[in-house]
Amino acid sequence: MQPIFDQVTDDLGILYGGDYNPEQWDPAVWREDARLMREAGVNLVTVGVFSWARYEPEPGVRDFAWMDEVLDLLHAHGIAVDLATPTASPPPWLGVDHPDTLPVDRDGVRLVPGSRNQFSPSSRVYRAAALAITRDLAARYATHPAVRMWHVGNEYGQVDHGEEAAREFRRWLRERYGTVDGLNAAWGTTFWSQRYRSFDDVLPPRRTPYLVNPTQSLDFRRFTSDELLACYREQRDAIRAAGVTVPVTTNFMGFFALADYWAWAGEVDVVADDQYPDLADPRSPADSALVQDLMRGLGDGAPWMLMEQAAGATSWREHNLPRTPERLRLDSLQAVARGADGVCFFQWRASTVGAERFHSAMLPHAGVDTRVHRGVQRLGADLARLRPVAGTRVPARTALLFDWESWWAAEEPGRVTERLRTLDQVRAFYRPLWDRGVAVDVVRPGASLDAYDLVVVPQTYVLDDAAEAALRKAAARGAGVVVGPMTGVADGNAHVVPGRFPARVADLAGASGEEWVALPDAGVAVAAEPGPWAELPGGGRATVHGELLRADDATVLATFAEGYLAGLPAVTRRDPEGPGGSVWYVGTVLDEPLLGAVLADALARCAIEPAVPGAVAAGGVEAVVRGDAVFLLNRSDTARTVAVPGRWTDLLTGRDVADAVTLPAHDAAVLTPAKSS
Ligand code: GLA
C-alpha cells in the first residue's frame, strides 16, 4: 500500500489541510477560502463529505456544476483535493421514500433523517443509490488534476438490527457455517434451549428478555464490520473502475468498536484516522501515542494520515476544553513523529449553521486575527519544514498485541467483572512504555513477531493457533513476553477453553490459574517480593480483577497480601533454563507504579532502551525517532534540557544543536544529523 500514497507526499510534502464544506458558503467565500488556505500553508482539503443532497436534490437528478467550480478554483490556487463520496449522509428523501434504508436499533426503533449516518449498511436501496452517485462522481472527476486522493464515506460505524440486516446476517452465517448444525455448535445453542432448526429462524441480537448468546453477539459484530467494509469496497471499486489511479481511503476512528480495522487496513491505500484527544485527561498524550502506533501498525509500518483533528475545542463532549495552539502543535508533531505524513482537521471554516456550529475550525468564526488561526498558520509553516521526514519509518523493538475480535469476545456481558475492560488494559500496559520513552508497534495477534525483542500482551482473550505459534516462536528465539490478565481464555467461538488458564500458554508462563476473582471495590494490597526485580518497587495495590494462580515453573514477583487471594502469586516471571526469553504473567490489574515496575523489569532484561535516553532523563519530554529525525516534544510546563549526543540541525528552526538542546515549555525540536561541511 506504500508507493501510491508516497507519490502524493513526494509531490506535496506532509499533507496539511482539512475538511472543506463549500456547500455551506457563497462562491465569494470560496475565493477567500482558497487564498487563506494558501496563506496558512494548506496543501490538501477534503471536499464533498456531506454533499449528497446538494448533488442530488431530487432522486436521479445531478448537480455537479458547483463542484466543478470548487475543484477548478482550488486547483488554480495549488490546493490538492481529497474528494469524498457523499454517502455518509443520504438526503432526507431517500429515507422518506424508502424507509427500509433507515437503520433500526436494538430496541426496534427505526432512526429517521434529520442528523447524519441514517442508513442501513445492508439496505439494497441505499447501496444502489450510494453506488450510483459514486459512479457519477468518479466518472466526472476521475482525471481532474486537483483530485489527488479519494475519501469513501465518513467514519464507517453504522449498525442496523432490522429486517435488511437480518437477511444479510443470515447470508453471512450461511457462508461462515455452511449448515445450521455448524452454527448451533459454534453458538453453543445447547445452552438455554437455543437450538435453531434453520438459518431462517436466526435474528440479529435485538432486545431479549435476558442476556443474549455471546457468540451470536460476537458474530453480529463481525458481520457488522464486514457489512460496512462491503459498503466501502464497492464504492472504492467503482472509483477504480472509473480510471482513478490516486490513493483511495476512508477515515478510521482509533480503537473504534464497530469496525475491525485489521480487516479493513488492507483495503485502503493509506491508513487515515480521526483523533480528538480528551483535553481534560492528563494521560491523553500517551493514549494518542498508542492510537498513532496502532495506525502505523495497521499499515504495517507505512506512513499514515491524521485525517481529522480539532484546531481548538470539539463540540460533541458534554464540556469541551480548549486546545491551546501549543498543544495542537505538540500533538500534530507527535502524529508526524509516529509515522503520519498528513495532518488534517475537521474542518477548514467554522460552520455558522448546523449541529457543529460550535466546533472549532482552522478558520474560526472570528476570522484570521485569532489565536486559533495564528496557531494553524504556524503549524502549516512547521509542517512544510518537515518535508524530509515524509516517507520514513519508525523503528521499534517492542510489540504490543491488540485485536478487535478478542476485545469483542472479552466484553460480552455475563462475566466475573464487567469492570475489566480490554482497552483499559491496553492503555495501562502502554503507558509505562510511553513514560519510559520506548518505541512500540501495535501488532495483530498471529502476525510475525520476528522483529521484536519484547512482546506485550495486555489482554488477548482469544488466543488462536497463529497467535499462540507466534508467541512461542518469539519466546523460543529469546524475546521477552509479558502476558496480562484474562488472556488466552476463549477460542474463536468465544467458548471458554477448559483446563488451567492461560490456556495454550500456561507452560510458557510457568504459571497457571484455576479461578477468576472480582476484587473488592477498595482493591487489595500487593507485596513485591524482594530480590528478583530489575528495579524493586515498593508494594502496590490491585483492583478490579485477580486470578487464583499457582507458580508451576516461575519466580513469584508479587503476591496478594490480603483477601481471598492472600498469599498467592499476583505476578510471576519464568526464566527458562537454556535458550528462550523470560515470560511475565500479570494475573491482576496493578496500580500504575507496580505495573510500571513489571514493564521496567521486562525492558531491562530485554535490553530495550528509550528511543532518546536524554529525554527520559529530562522528564516530561516525549521523544520519538523516525527515520534519522529525532522528535522532542516538551509536554511539561517548564523548560527542559535534553542530552542528544552529536551534532544536529533542528528542522523547525534551522538552528544547529550540539550534544544538548533546551526546549521552552510546550515547545518542540525535530533534530536531524548535521550535514558535515
Ligand atoms: C468527525 C467527523 C466530522 C465531524 C467531527 C467533529 O471527525 O468525521 O464530520 O463530525 O468528527 O469532531
Side-chain angles (χ1 to χ4, degrees), residues 19 50 116 154-155 251 274 276 308 316 346 356 359:
D19 279 22
F50 297 111
R116 65 175 181 188
N154 191 57
E155 296 192 332
N251 42 351
D274 298 349
Y276 296 95
E308 292 182 30
W316 43 264
F346 174 83
E356 295 183 320
H359 195 289

Side-chain angles (χ1 to χ4, degrees), residues 444-636:
R444 182 183 201 170
S448 167
L449 297 169
D450 290 352
Y452 304 104
D453 297 314
L454 174 62
V455 181
V456 179
V457 190
Q459 190 197 354
T460 302
Y461 178 81
V462 175
L463 210 56
D464 65 12
D465 292 349
E468 179 191 341
L471 280 179
R472 286 190 184 282
K473 189 174 170 210
R477 193 174 40 77
V481 179
V482 180
V483 179
M486 286 303 262
T487 289
V489 169
D491 66 16
N493 289 326
H495 300 185
V496 172
V497 180
R500 296 184 72 83
F501 60 80
R504 289 170 168 262
V505 290
D507 62 315
L508 214 57
S512 61
E514 63 187 63
E515 193 177 344
W516 300 286
V517 176
L519 297 182
D521 287 354
V524 296
V526 172
E529 299 294 327
W533 300 77
E535 289 167 22
L536 179 66
R541 291 194 76 73
T543 52
V544 175
H545 165 101
E547 296 179 355
L548 198 165
L549 295 179
R550 180 175 82 198
D552 300 309
D553 175 26
T555 307
V556 176
L557 297 187
T559 306
F560 292 104
E562 57 183 339
Y564 186 73
L565 298 172
L568 296 173
V571 183
T572 62
R573 187 184 71 224
R574 176 168 168 266
D575 302 311
E577 287 170 29
S582 296
V583 179
W584 289 255
Y585 188 77
V586 181
T588 188
V589 177
L590 295 175
D591 61 18
E592 213 166 313
L594 198 47
L595 182 58
V598 173
L599 288 160
D601 192 47
L603 292 169
R605 277 169 192 271
C606 298
I608 294 176
E609 295 285 324
V612 182
V616 180
V621 177
E622 181 177 357
V624 183
V625 173
R626 179 175 177 193
D628 66 2
V630 177
F631 284 71
L632 300 173
L633 312 172
N634 182 2
R635 292 197 175 269
S636 75

